[in-house]
Amino acid sequence: MKINVMSLLVDDQAKALRFYTEQLGFIKKTDLPLGDHKWLTVVSNEERDGVELLLEPIAFPPAQIYQKALFDAGIPAASFTVDDIHNEYDRLAKAGVQFSMKPTVMGPVTLAVFRDTCGNNIQIVQV
């Protein structure tokens, strides 16, 4: 069994695609129209055949409540591994990404948290 797609609730797929590709550097993998929304995925530029991140439209009202509760509690909706968290933090901060937590050592890892402009807290981690 393998994980090939993980979904992330987003309030606007077009805005999410811009953020995840232009700000974070991911690559658009799949873009299939499905009525009012799309099956829209991105992948890491470093692993183009790796796990796809589905930018899932948040049209289902209970999902909106769930996303807001996670965001308000500061809980990350996703976590991405980076090789050098300080370089990524500097690169993203210079690109205008807003962090709610600067790189912080927590036991064997260092992590930081930023807002993805689509209703989510996202964590980056250096192990």
Side-chain angles (χ1 to χ4, degrees):
M1 186 178 300
K2 297 179 183 177
I3 298 173
N4 66 339
V5 176
M6 293 293 299
S7 67
L8 180 68
L9 298 170
V10 297
D11 59 6
D12 181 318
Q13 286 187 300
K15 181 174 65 173
L17 180 61
R18 284 192 304 276
F19 181 81
Y20 281 86
T21 57
E22 296 172 11
Q23 300 280 19
L24 300 188
F26 289 165
I27 304 297
K28 182 169 67 175
K29 177 91 177 198
T30 307
D31 186 352
L32 296 172
L34 296 171
D36 292 336
H37 303 289
K38 300 176 177 181
W39 181 267
L40 181 60
T41 69
V42 295
V43 293
S44 168
N45 191 30
E46 300 170 22
E47 291 185 336
R48 293 179 180 220
D49 292 324
V51 176
E52 296 179 45
L53 183 64
L54 173 63
L55 303 175
E56 180 86 42
I58 192 163
F60 185 54
Q64 296 169 1
I65 294 167
Y66 172 74
Q67 184 194 43
K68 184 176 183 331
L70 285 179
F71 184 83
D72 290 347
I75 298 172
S79 181
F80 305 133
T81 301
V82 296
D83 293 331
D84 184 326
I85 197 164
H86 295 287
N87 281 346
E88 278 300 311
Y89 173 82
D90 290 343
R91 180 183 75 83
L92 294 173
K94 286 178 186 170
V97 174
Q98 296 202 354
F99 280 81
S100 59
M101 178 190 287
K102 293 181 178 181
T104 304
V105 175
M106 293 193 166
V109 302
T110 303
L111 59 90
V113 178
F114 61 86
R115 297 181 177 100
D116 74 351
T117 72
C118 304
N120 302 296
N121 293 303
I122 303 296
Q123 179 175 275
I124 53 174
V125 179
Q126 178 182 342
V127 179

